[in-house]
Structures are given as C-alpha cells and as structure tokens.
Amino acid sequence: MERDPVDDLLQPLWRALVVFRVMTWAFACFGVWTRWDGIVRPSGAVLQLAIMGVWTVISSIGYSRRWGRRNTRLAFADLVVTVGCMYATLLAQPLLDIRAGASVLTSVWAAGPVIALAISRGRDGGLLGAATVSLALLSLRGVDNASKILSNVQLLLVAGLVVGYAASTMRQAGARLREAIAAESATAERLRLSRSIHDGVLQVLAQVQRRGTAIGGEAVELAKLAAEQEVALRTLMTSRPTVAQGDRIDLCGLLLPLATTRVDVVVPAGQVLLPAAVAGELVAAVKEALKNVDKHAGPQARSWVVVEDLGDEVLVSVRDDGSGTTPARLEQARVDGHLGVSQSIRGRITDLGGSVAVRTAPGEGTEWELKVSTT
C-alpha cells in the first residue's frame, strides 16, 4: 500500500505522544507513591491508576496504528476518558480535600488528549482539548482556586497552540510534497512517452508531410493534416502540467495547448499563477480572439500568443498577420450586434477589472493586448 507523505511527516509527533503518555502515567504513579500517606482512600487511587494504565496501553496502540491517526475518534475518546479519570480522583480524595489543595491524581497525564487533538485537528483541536481539560480541572478545584490553576491552564493552551501549529505546518508540507511527487511522476511519464513518440510517430508524420507536399494534388491535403497532427503532438510533448496552488492556477499550462500550425504560443519559463476564475476567463478571451482571426484575417494568416509576467499584472498579446481592419469597423460590428469583440473579449476582461487595447490597420493585421491583475 502506498504511504501517505502527510502521515509520514506526522509520525514523529504521534510517536512523541505515545512516549509522553507512558512517561506521564509513570509520573502519576510516582506522585501517588510519594503522597501515599496523605491519600484518604488508597484503594481508590490504585483503581484510578489501573484505569489510566489500561487506557494508556489502548490509546498508545491506537496512536501507533494508522487507523488511530486517520480520524479524530480516538482523540475525542481519549479526551472523554481523560476527563473521566480526572473526576475518578474523587475515588481517592473527597472533593473538599481537593479544593483545599490535594492533588488531582492524573497530573500531567491529562494533557495527552490535548496533544492528540492538536496533531489530528490542528490549532482548533488543541484549543478545544485544552479548554475541556481546563474546565474539568476548574470544576474540581473550584472557582475560588482559579488563580492557583492558572499556570496549568496556560501550559495546556500553549501545548495546544504550539503542537497544533506544528501539525498544521507539517500537514501543509505533506500536501505540497504529495503534489510534487505527482508532478514529478507525471513529468517522468511525459518524457518517456515523448521519447517514444519522437522516435516513431513524429518521424512518420514529418515524412508524410514532405512526401505529400512533393507529390501534390490530393496528397497536399494529406500533408496538411499530417502537419497539423505533428504540431499537436509536439505541443502535447512540450506542454507542462497545469499546476494549481490552492485557488490559483498556471496560465501558461492553459494556453500552451492552443498552439497549432498557424498559432504560436510563447510563455515564460516559470509559472504565471492567477486565480482559477481569472485564468479561465482570460483563456476564453484569447480563444475568441483566435476565432476572429480564423473568420476575418484570411486563410493564410498566422497568429502569435505571447504571455508576459509584469509582476502585479499579466499581459497577454494576441497578434496576427492577416488583413487587419479599422477601429471604426470594430465599433460598427459592435453596433450591428456582433458581440464577439464587445462581450467575449472586452466584456470578459473588463469584468475582471483589467484593460483591453487593440491595434489594427488594413493590411497590417490585428493585435490585442489583454491585461489583468495577478491578485
């Protein structure tokens, strides 16, 4: 079974919790032994320690197994049992004696579920566990002794916060590690397929393209189709995975598949991360611009899509070498109800808070500049 990187990173914390559980139970036993003469009902203290010992074994086994770490059921059960063991001190000492200064026999052992919840649920889990144990301790000690247990409460809260923060950080690191492993595996597989395709399919398509062009006639159409498939395969081989980080996505990975025999896509070497919704609308606007090239620029027109990372903004240029037009004709098209330019391009970018500039002239092609913020 494949191991989870997140689980691997958190294992040291779980192991430390098991050691902490065993050591603090032994510490509680030592505390009872040193105060034996002051305990009103020694048999009750022995019974309480036995219950604590049995639960220490059960919880330690659970925290050492994957089933005990994959959900919070064991941690919540640990919290309930621990609070019950705290109240079991009443089997050994009357409530009046506890409020008069007698020790709660669970001692530091009671911090176990705080740490467990912090590891499994992060900061919020740690604070929940600390608050529950603190309230149980306060109910035993009494409100009049709240100032005396303040240091214990502070230690519980600090433990919950620190361990919870550490666990959350490790969990995030594990998620990023999982993504990196997946990306590395995908890249390795892509390289393997690329070598296979290059050694076979691409060479055949290139040969068909050359021979079809040389023969002429109907073979030219076959050569054209072979050229298109060659470009599509090369684009697939050279494109990179569309990497997502949270709600942000790599714009370049979305634009590279648009390359054809008549469309060149030029992107930076690094990622250009945008919010997923912004990237989707920007790609849709680029596609609409390329569609206009097919419709109006002429059958032999070529297009270039260029991405520039300006830091706080991203500029995408869509340029063609077609017949071009005039700004007045673009405005007239909008007035006549042709919404490709006004809605699918300008409207999308404007709704994103970006800007659109267009330069065109008869015989000089058309260039769109689409600029959006990266935030």
Side-chain angles (χ1 to χ4, degrees), residues 45-89:
V46 172
L47 177 60
Q48 179 184 5
L49 291 176
I51 296 173
M52 291 168 57
V54 171
W55 182 250
T56 296
V57 173
I58 295 174
S59 60
S60 296
I61 293 175
Y63 293 140
S64 300
R65 300 289 187 270
R66 194 170 186 179
W67 60 265
R69 302 191 298 259
R70 295 292 291 179
N71 57 63
T72 58
R73 294 177 183 175
L74 180 59
F76 278 115
D78 193 2
L79 180 63
V80 173
V81 173
T82 297
V83 171
C85 287
M86 293 176 67
Y87 283 109
T89 302

Side-chain angles (χ1 to χ4, degrees), residues 39-320:
I39 297 176
V40 176
R41 293 184 288 272
S43 60
V46 172
L47 177 60
Q48 179 184 5
L49 291 176
I51 296 173
M52 291 168 57
V54 171
W55 182 250
T56 296
V57 173
I58 295 174
S59 60
S60 296
I61 293 175
Y63 293 140
S64 300
R65 300 289 187 270
R66 194 170 186 179
W67 60 265
R69 302 191 298 259
R70 295 292 291 179
N71 57 63
T72 58
R73 294 177 183 175
L74 180 59
F76 278 115
D78 193 2
L79 180 63
V80 173
V81 173
T82 297
V83 171
C85 287
M86 293 176 67
Y87 283 109
T89 302
L90 297 173
L91 298 175
Q93 297 280 32
L95 182 60
L96 291 177
D97 289 355
I98 296 175
R99 293 187 174 179
S103 299
V104 177
L105 301 185
T106 51
S107 186
V108 187
W109 185 84
V114 177
I115 299 175
L117 285 169
I119 297 173
S120 60
R121 303 286 292 189
R123 178 200 62 192
D124 294 342
L127 290 178
L128 174 63
T132 303
V133 173
S134 298
L135 289 174
L137 182 60
L138 181 62
S139 68
L140 286 169
R141 287 295 191 186
V143 178
D144 295 338
N145 296 313
S147 60
K148 296 180 180 179
I149 67 171
L150 182 59
S151 60
N152 294 331
V153 174
Q154 289 176 338
L155 287 175
L156 289 171
L157 291 174
V158 168
L161 282 172
V162 172
V163 177
Y165 177 77
S168 297
T169 301
M170 289 184 177
R171 192 169 283 107
Q172 292 172 2
R176 291 177 182 174
L177 177 61
R178 188 194 297 114
E179 293 175 358
I181 292 173
E184 182 179 2
S185 300
T187 301
E189 180 65 14
R190 185 183 295 273
L191 290 174
R192 185 187 68 80
L193 291 174
S194 296
R195 288 192 293 267
S196 177
I197 291 173
H198 182 271
D199 293 340
V201 179
L202 286 180
Q203 293 183 8
V204 171
L205 289 175
Q207 180 68 13
V208 170
Q209 180 185 357
R210 289 193 296 270
R211 293 292 296 165
T213 303
I215 294 173
E218 295 182 356
V220 174
E221 183 65 23
L222 181 62
K224 180 181 178 181
L225 293 175
E228 292 176 351
Q229 293 304 309
E230 180 184 3
V231 171
L233 281 175
R234 290 189 183 277
T235 301
L236 178 63
M237 290 167 54
T238 57
S239 64
R240 56 203 194 203
T242 304
V243 180
Q245 295 184 9
D247 64 340
R248 301 175 71 81
I249 196 168
D250 182 17
L251 175 66
C252 303
L254 298 176
L255 289 177
L256 282 171
L258 300 182
T260 66
T261 54
R262 295 172 53 195
V263 178
D264 291 330
V265 180
V266 182
V267 300
Q271 298 179 10
V272 179
L273 295 177
L274 290 175
V278 174
E281 288 295 283
L282 185 55
V283 171
V286 171
K287 289 181 178 179
E288 184 64 29
L290 293 175
K291 188 185 300 183
N292 285 340
V293 175
D294 290 337
K295 290 181 179 179
H296 308 297
Q300 303 301 319
R302 291 183 56 83
S303 302
W304 292 265
V305 178
V306 181
V307 179
E308 298 181 60
D309 189 352
L310 305 179
D312 294 337
E313 294 180 316
V314 170
L315 174 63
V316 179
S317 301
V318 182
R319 179 172 60 86
D320 67 75

